Amino acid sequence: MRSAPGTGKLRVAVGRLNGEFAAVPVVDCHVHLYPPEINRDPAGWAASAGEAHWARLCARQRADGTPVQGFPDVAGLLREMDSAGVDRAVLLGWYWERPESCVRQNRFFADCIRLHPDRLSAFAAIHPAAGAEALAEVLRARSEGLIGLGEMSPHSQGIDRDDASLAAILALAGELGLPVNLHVTDPVMKPYPGRVATPLSDFVHWAGQHANTRFILAHWAGGLDVTSLTNVWIDTAAAPLIYRTGAWIRAGRDVAVERVLFGSDYPLNLYPRTRAVADLGTFVQEVRSVGLSAEAQEWILGSNAAALFGWERK
Ligand SMILES: [Zn+2]
């Protein structure tokens, strides 16, 4: 049995378990972090690396001239986690256009989790077009301690729903016990620069085709009702931008509360109207203030992730 993750200073006291005072570590399941060469010059790096779509989404500015997100280094992320009361972050890769960008990010993530095993976990970036090399990269990432795949977006990568390489990757993820995080866009939300349509029926198809694979559908699954999908979880990433606080009414309605994972999309600025930069603590406080029961808050902020990833309580 692995020990419970997180030794952060700020923990949430939730009550007593087996006669002892228990604290559930707070886990952010959807965090993006980039290597130093990307942080130094995001747009320049994207131009030289052939990652124009990522640049449209992440290196752009809003109409008022403020950047949509920051580019913190590892130390900056850890400081933000400390101030927000987040014990552990799950670093997610990106749906890069180039397989070599995936490889670079995965080696960077391997370094991050080796240096901060008590605070950071990571998923691997994978490009299905790499074929056999993509499968080898899944195995390499797992051997380095990465615990899932994603954030993947076959739609953004130009991969068909029934692509054989994608199917092999999803099957391998199931065999290896690696959850797969998929980017989902709500079909009814208003367009934003770089938005790619992700038909919700495709996610239902993949979940059905790969019953042994556990899927995390990002961004509240784009509004999809997942209550009948037994191998599907959802994360809450970017919800304040997409749904304001309205998304929380879905917990228990369109998805069992036990399947909701707190995820922010940090360092995306979730509150551009009131915050100049990303502020993780505000989103944590939102979970605590929208009327969820204390038990539901505990599950969403940490216990559900611990159960999904096999982090048992002592
Ligand atoms: Zn996403």
Side-chain angles (χ1 to χ4, degrees), residues 38-236:
I38 298 182
N39 292 338
R40 270 194 297 274
D41 178 14
W45 174 85
S48 65
E51 296 290 353
H53 185 236
W54 174 83
R56 284 190 78 196
L57 286 165
C58 297
R60 73 184 166 91
Q61 300 185 334
R62 297 185 191 283
D64 65 2
T66 58
V68 293
Q69 70 163 80
F71 287 91
D73 59 12
V74 179
L77 168 62
L78 294 175
R79 278 196 301 275
E80 182 72 11
M81 290 164 62
D82 284 342
S83 83
V86 171
D87 292 280
R88 176 172 292 270
V90 180
L91 308 177
L92 296 190
W94 189 263
Y95 30 99
W96 299 112
E97 294 174 64
R98 310 278 180 155
E100 52 268 38
S101 301
C102 298
V103 171
R104 171 66 184 118
Q105 181 155 50
N106 295 342
R107 298 295 88 72
F108 170 67
F109 279 176
D111 287 341
C112 291
I113 61 177
R114 186 171 46 77
L115 290 170
H116 301 284
D118 56 330
R119 307 298 303 278
L120 303 176
S121 301
F123 278 29
I126 296 293
H127 199 316
E133 183 51 37
L135 296 174
E137 182 61 25
V138 172
L139 294 170
R140 194 177 303 132
R142 180 173 179 264
S143 74
E144 292 173 332
L146 279 69
I147 60 168
L149 307 183
E151 181 178 11
M152 292 183 73
S153 180
H155 302 99
S156 304
Q157 291 174 316
I159 300 295
D160 290 342
R161 186 192 75 169
D162 297 313
D163 179 83
S165 179
L166 174 63
I169 291 165
L170 297 179
L172 180 60
E175 287 172 30
L176 299 174
L178 300 173
V180 179
N181 184 300
L182 292 168
H183 172 80
V184 189
T185 304
D186 191 325
V188 301
M189 80 175 286
K190 70 179 189 329
Y192 54 83
R195 177 173 182 255
V196 171
T198 67
L200 299 183
S201 58
D202 288 357
F203 301 97
V204 177
H205 175 81
W206 288 323
Q209 289 282 303
H210 301 280
N212 292 328
T213 304
R214 294 170 298 167
F215 293 91
I216 302 165
L217 302 186
H219 315 296
W220 285 95
L224 178 67
D225 184 334
V226 301
T227 46
S228 65
L229 304 175
T230 56
N231 55 335
V232 166
W233 281 249
I234 68 97
D235 80 30
T236 65

